[in-house]
Amino acid sequence: MRLEGKVALISGAARGMGAEEARLFAREGARVVLGDLLDEAGEAVAAEIREAGGTASYVRLDVGDEAAWAAAVALAETTYGKLDVLVNNAGIVRYAEGDAEGLGDYDRLMAVNARGTYAGMLAAIPAMRRAGGGAIVNISSISGLVGQKHVHAGYNASKGAVHIMTKSMAVQHAGEGIRVNSVHPGPIRTDMTVDAWSDPALRQRAERATPLGRYGEAIDVAYAVLFLATDEAAYITGAEIVVDGGYTAQ
Ligand code: NAD
């Protein structure tokens, strides 16, 4: 199994891509700590993993809260002995609707997506040092690479911040055996995008903009995250993998 012996912490793992990554990681032998604000859904995913023979625990984690990050990392270390992998997946989105009114949405997007990702790395790195190394996968977006007419500029800014902070942290922690990479999903069918993919006109617009002609599924992204988390990616750090059906290739 590709993550045999590894311990992973995944933020935003109660649903969507984070939940799919937790399931896949567990199938590949990792012991997984799932963090989220949605306690009932998060506990249910962890229970589902255990029923399937895997090892998983849920912890309440608001990525804006340093103490909650410390507790999640401590849970990984006390329950499973160490922390090898962090997936900074939790995120929120806003769409552009005419002129933005004030800075509220911008601040919220930056707080969860950018600051929350940085907070996760700060909390995880000392534990990874104790474990002798580690792998961090930050979930950015195609919105961190290109501007989009229908997306709030604050979302692009937050995901662009995740893209470049991944490279800073990769360079700064390479000497400690800690790899840091980013994954950039295109339109993926999750709860976050349900309004878009369940509306025939919006769905068609996204599919037309995507050379592979369809919405991605959470598992499409999870496989890329898995690769970066494993030792197969031992010589990859500060890199980005786009999982977007060709969206940004045109
Ligand atoms: P989702 O809304 O289904 O899941 C996101 C999870 O993050 C939820 O369980 C939510 O409760 C959790 N979360 C939100 N704020 C949190 C906080 N402060 N602390 C802890 N958890 C929090 O979304 P998804 O589509 O699975 O998105 C996962 C990641 O992928 C996000 O970072 C998102 O920005 C990114 N992304 C999504 C798409 C897409 O098309 N769905 C595309 C590109 C990037």
Side-chain angles (χ1 to χ4, degrees):
M1 285 192 279
R2 296 166 72 190
L3 286 175
E4 188 75 60
K6 306 277 190 196
V7 179
L9 168 59
I10 304 176
S11 71
R15 68 181 198 190
M17 293 184 224
E20 203 58 24
E21 287 148 17
R23 293 184 188 100
L24 179 62
F25 279 27
R27 287 202 297 277
E28 291 295 341
R31 288 161 287 166
V32 185
V33 177
L34 300 87
D36 207 295
L37 296 169
L38 305 175
D39 296 334
E40 212 174 306
E43 294 281 11
V45 177
E48 178 199 320
I49 289 172
R50 289 192 297 270
E51 278 154 29
T55 305
S57 308
Y58 171 78
V59 64
R60 185 176 179 82
L61 169 67
D62 180 341
V63 297
D65 180 349
E66 282 179 275
W69 270 116
V73 170
L75 180 85
E77 287 192 305
T78 54
T79 312
Y80 302 124
K82 57 177 180 162
L83 180 68
D84 304 294
V85 176
L86 168 67
V87 183
N88 268 312
N89 162 80
I92 56 171
V93 72
R94 294 285 178 275
Y95 296 99
E97 289 158 18
D99 290 334
E101 285 174 24
L103 292 173
D105 280 342
Y106 182 91
D107 289 344
R108 276 185 286 278
L109 288 158
M110 291 299 284
V112 176
N113 299 349
R115 184 178 181 278
T117 295
Y118 185 62
M121 290 194 279
L122 283 191
I125 283 170
M128 290 181 173
R129 215 174 266 144
R130 287 191 283 277
I136 298 175
V137 184
N138 291 327
I139 307 303
S140 176
S141 169
I142 54 170
S143 307
L145 301 172
V146 296
Q148 293 149 295
K149 211 170 171 182
H150 309 286
V151 173
H152 193 293
Y155 186 73
N156 294 99
S158 68
K159 293 300 189 176
V162 170
H163 184 211
I164 196 65
M165 78 171 73
T166 296
K167 293 185 189 294
S168 337
M169 297 299 265
V171 170
Q172 289 163 20
H173 296 282
E176 301 176 296
I178 298 170
R179 298 183 297 100
V180 192
N181 294 290
S182 58
V183 168
H184 299 254
I188 308 296
R189 215 161 54 88
T190 65
D191 286 318
M192 178 180 275
T193 48
V194 65
D195 290 344
W197 56 258
S198 60
D199 177 304
L202 293 180
R203 184 181 181 124
Q204 215 177 39
R205 187 178 74 192
E207 288 175 350
R208 281 212 189 106
T210 307
L212 287 179
R214 65 167 174 92
Y215 259 84
E217 301 295 332
I219 191 71
D220 293 321
V221 178
Y223 281 127
V225 176
L226 170 68
F227 167 63
L228 290 171
T230 67
D231 294 338
E232 296 158 25
Y235 198 54
I236 302 179
T237 198
E240 54 283 281
I241 295 186
V242 173
V243 185
D244 69 349
Y247 190 107
T248 52
Q250 359 173 45

